[in-house]
Amino acid sequence: MTDPAAAAAAAPQSGWRRALPVVISLVILAMALRALSAEFSTHGYAAIRHAFRDIGVGQVVLTLVLGLSSYACLVLFDAIGLHRSGRHLHPARIAITAFLAHTVGQTLGFAALTGGAVRLRGYGQVGLNLGEIGQVVLVSTLGFVFGAWVLLGLALLLEPAAAALALPVGAGAVQAIGIALLAGFVLMLLAVGRQGRTLRIGAHALWLPDYRTVLGVTVLSVVELGLASAALYVLLPPIPGTDYIGFVGLYLVAVVAGLLSTVPAGLGVFEWSLLKLLPGVAPAALLAAALVYRITYYVFPMLLALLMAAATGLRRPVSRGTVAARAAWLTLRPWLPQIIAIAVFAMGAALVIEGTLPMPHRWEGVAPLPLVETSHLLASLGGVALLLIGQGLQRRSHAAWVLALAICLALPLPAWLRGGHVPVSLSALLVALALWVSRREFYREGALLDEAWSWPWLRNLGLVLVATVWLLFFVYSHVEYQRELWWQFAISGNAPRALRALLLVAVAVIAFGLARLLHSTRRPLAPATDAELDALAPILAGGADTQASLVLTGDKALLRDEAQRGFVMMQRYGGSLISMGDPVGPPEVARELIWRFREEADRLGLRPVFYQVGDQHWQTYLDMGLTLVKLGEEAVVPIAGFQLEGKERAELRQAFNRGKRSGLSFRMLMPEAVAPVLPRLEEISRQWLEDKAGEEKGFSLGSFDPAYLVRFPVAVVEFEGRIVAFANVWRAPAGGELSVDLMRHTDEAPKGTMDYLFVELFLWGAANGFQRFSLGMAPLSGMAQHRLAGRWTRFANVVVRHGERFYGFSGLRRFKSKFMPQWRPRYLAAPGGMHLPAALLDVTRLISLDPKRRDRD
């Protein structure tokens, strides 16, 4: 197991490295907002509101059209990148994936990383590899660079006067810079030639495509950036001495400044840069235009993404719809939780920020004062709650979904009563609709305090709070602070009401933070390294139970004995330290490890839990005061000398012959032959998961992980020369036992393929000297039926009787029974009393976690 002292020493350093960008972003935002407020007098907010009213509806519609046209150009970048890779995807998948990638990238910043993550899932689902997806990201990134390069050069050349106002050089020097930029671009085109070229800077290499591709993405980028800048330009009043061409160059400088700031969407930095670059524009008019621009260019696309999520969340109509609708559903579905989480967070931010704004004069007297005050506090409290639970939605938490839905349904009326802002109230209802139609995607059980906070989410929460505090002081800069201000209650008392709302938000955040701090940790133990797993080979070779192979999934920590003759595979979740099965090793080593595991649990302050243990060490478990409860029975088929002849094998013989007649064939691939077929196996696994509407499990089951699969033989079934089913095979040669873990098939597989696979495995095992084949456990099987049985047994029988429609308990046992197995019991060993249900819940939650996402963020 990883040395606790070393882990403790390394953790703070890693935490500081991850926290530093968050702190830098918050500091930059605070400085930018402080600089913005310095541009105004004590009535800056009133001036901005007045300028906001001067923007006409036609201007807003035009900027919306220009912004959406810009996004359409961004989508074409992905199409170009995919065309270069020679992959032809459904247009709906390209459009939705690219739109989401650019929407997320534009809003959250670090577009190559955040947008790349969206593409990795959207395009990876249909078989694109990392290289092909990387080329799409590269084309998009280079497009922006080349387009900004050319546009900036043209702006400096054609309109040097505008740039000369912001630069410490004359107009002639500015034109010379513009000519140099354009000449450099032409030289770059000549350098890449027809085949492209790799540029090396030290240890770093950058591949540039051929000049035709570079020219194409540059033209497209020039159009896209021109549209994006025009979307802001049409909102501004006439700029003295600067026309549109000159404005484009200044706009690009402000955009680059926002990108370098690391603040999402360049919030505050973009606006401050424009103020410095456009001194001829009134600050109030510029900030009002920037606000409308952000709403149309950032908020509206996210709103479109939410509408798409709500539409495609109606699974049944989509599944019966057109090919395009089906492609849209398959593309959007993996991103529903992320889209809705961002929407919920944005809804919370809007409610919290709105709590600092004055009530419109037209609303005074519409509602009684007590109702207005109560609604104001409730809306702010609901907003901060949405901010805090957004990450739980991203991780598909059912508890977060319930709470978010309840808040979004309850908030429209308080949000309307406190100021009559209808768009905010309607947005809450839209988010509630999206939550409801996507309810099947939020299936993970777990308390909200269980999840570890991610640094990006903390950064976003901090940005909202910093902006809210600044806005409060900016809006009410003309109000002199007094202690009595807190207790002034009046319809026109906007400043006291905003102060009370901010205090409530601060108290809620602090209370939530303290609750998480005092809550028992849910962070998993560090899993074993590849070197540690490789060192277990002699122990696994001498094992008698194939269940020991689960250690190779790579999601468990190890506890070893001093002589390195055995191990416990374990993981922490909730208040439990959970061992997967009995310790592996000779009996005397296993007994020693049981006690060492108990000591480790005591040291960590956790309850010891042994999951799916056999009956060989029951006395040791009882000696340490644990309670044994039966989980079910494992089906073990004797296969020594296995033959298909005889009356008792008639059903299996028929299944085998039927598979042969339908054209099925069987192959056993040794570990060294598995790697070449992994792409096909991954395709089968992905389709199987989509058809089952589920995700990978962990801890007690393997998942599709190439590093895991290449450690085992893999049995494959082929139909018409194509693999349609597979299973990785566990072997325990010392015990003569054979078993399988990951069993998956595609829709192309004929009916009865899995029966055929099992029969072939029995025959192969018998031919290679194995004595038995484990079919795995049938949960809650073989429980005593007597009325005087224990409480757990009686409860399990009730679950089996009434839970059959949710999980086929009896159907699973019937399926395994047709192979005429012998049944051996499996137990849970855990402290009794109230600890027992808690241990069962922790085990269930641990198994339900996708091992690929457990440590994410």
Side-chain angles (χ1 to χ4, degrees), residues 340-556:
I340 292 175
I342 294 175
V344 167
F345 187 90
M347 187 74 240
L351 288 167
V352 170
I353 291 174
E354 188 191 32
T356 64
L357 302 180
M359 177 185 293
H361 292 296
R362 61 179 172 78
W363 199 249
E364 295 180 2
V366 173
L369 177 60
L371 188 58
V372 171
E373 295 286 351
T374 303
S375 299
H376 197 90
L377 293 177
L378 287 177
S380 295
L381 183 61
V384 72
L386 293 179
L387 291 176
L388 295 173
I389 66 176
Q391 184 177 247
L393 291 170
Q394 186 181 19
R395 294 173 176 172
R396 301 174 183 264
S397 167
H398 183 72
W401 176 84
V402 171
L403 187 56
L405 181 62
I407 292 174
C408 288
L409 289 175
L411 278 183
L413 183 59
W416 178 73
L417 286 174
R418 78 172 180 179
H421 295 128
V422 176
V424 176
S425 302
L426 293 179
S427 297
L429 291 176
L430 176 61
V431 173
L433 174 63
L435 283 164
W436 175 251
V437 299
S438 304
R439 58 192 179 277
R440 296 181 182 87
E441 304 301 319
F442 300 92
Y443 56 84
R444 288 181 177 167
E445 299 298 330
L448 289 176
L449 298 179
D450 289 355
E451 299 289 350
W453 275 81
S454 68
W455 286 108
W457 208 265
L458 282 174
R459 178 201 62 185
N460 296 337
L461 176 61
L463 293 175
V464 171
L465 296 179
V466 168
T468 303
V469 172
W470 171 83
L471 187 61
L472 174 69
F473 288 101
F474 178 74
V475 171
Y476 303 107
S477 58
H478 62 286
V479 178
E480 184 178 353
Y481 177 77
Q482 299 174 350
R483 292 183 180 178
E484 294 78 11
L485 203 62
W486 293 92
W487 314 111
Q488 292 180 10
F489 295 91
I491 289 292
S492 59
N494 292 308
R497 198 155 40 241
L499 280 173
R500 289 189 290 269
L502 182 60
L503 176 63
L504 182 63
V505 168
V507 170
V509 171
I510 293 172
F512 189 82
L514 287 175
R516 290 186 54 82
L517 185 63
L518 298 175
H519 196 62
S520 60
T521 180
R522 298 312 195 239
R523 287 187 177 275
L525 298 172
T529 64
D530 288 342
E532 291 173 325
L533 295 179
D534 292 337
L536 300 179
I539 303 175
L540 293 175
D545 191 342
T546 53
Q547 184 174 259
S549 298
L550 272 171
V551 72
L552 299 177
T553 57
D555 62 350
K556 303 170 187 67

Side-chain angles (χ1 to χ4, degrees), residues 221-308:
S221 180
V222 167
V223 174
E224 185 273 320
L225 289 172
L227 291 169
S229 57
L232 176 59
Y233 185 76
V234 298
L235 297 170
L236 294 170
I239 306 173
T242 304
D243 61 8
Y244 171 66
I245 297 297
F247 173 78
V248 170
L250 302 178
Y251 169 85
L252 289 174
V253 173
V255 168
V256 172
L259 291 174
L260 295 177
S261 70
T262 72
V263 179
L267 183 65
V269 179
F270 175 76
E271 287 80 2
W272 178 80
S273 300
L274 286 176
L275 281 177
K276 293 302 179 183
L277 294 170
L278 298 172
V281 181
L286 195 150
L287 290 186
L291 175 62
V292 176
Y293 173 74
R294 286 194 176 277
I295 292 174
T296 56
Y297 197 77
Y298 293 98
V299 177
F300 187 77
M302 290 303 302
L303 195 62
L304 278 181
L306 183 64
L307 286 170
M308 289 159 53

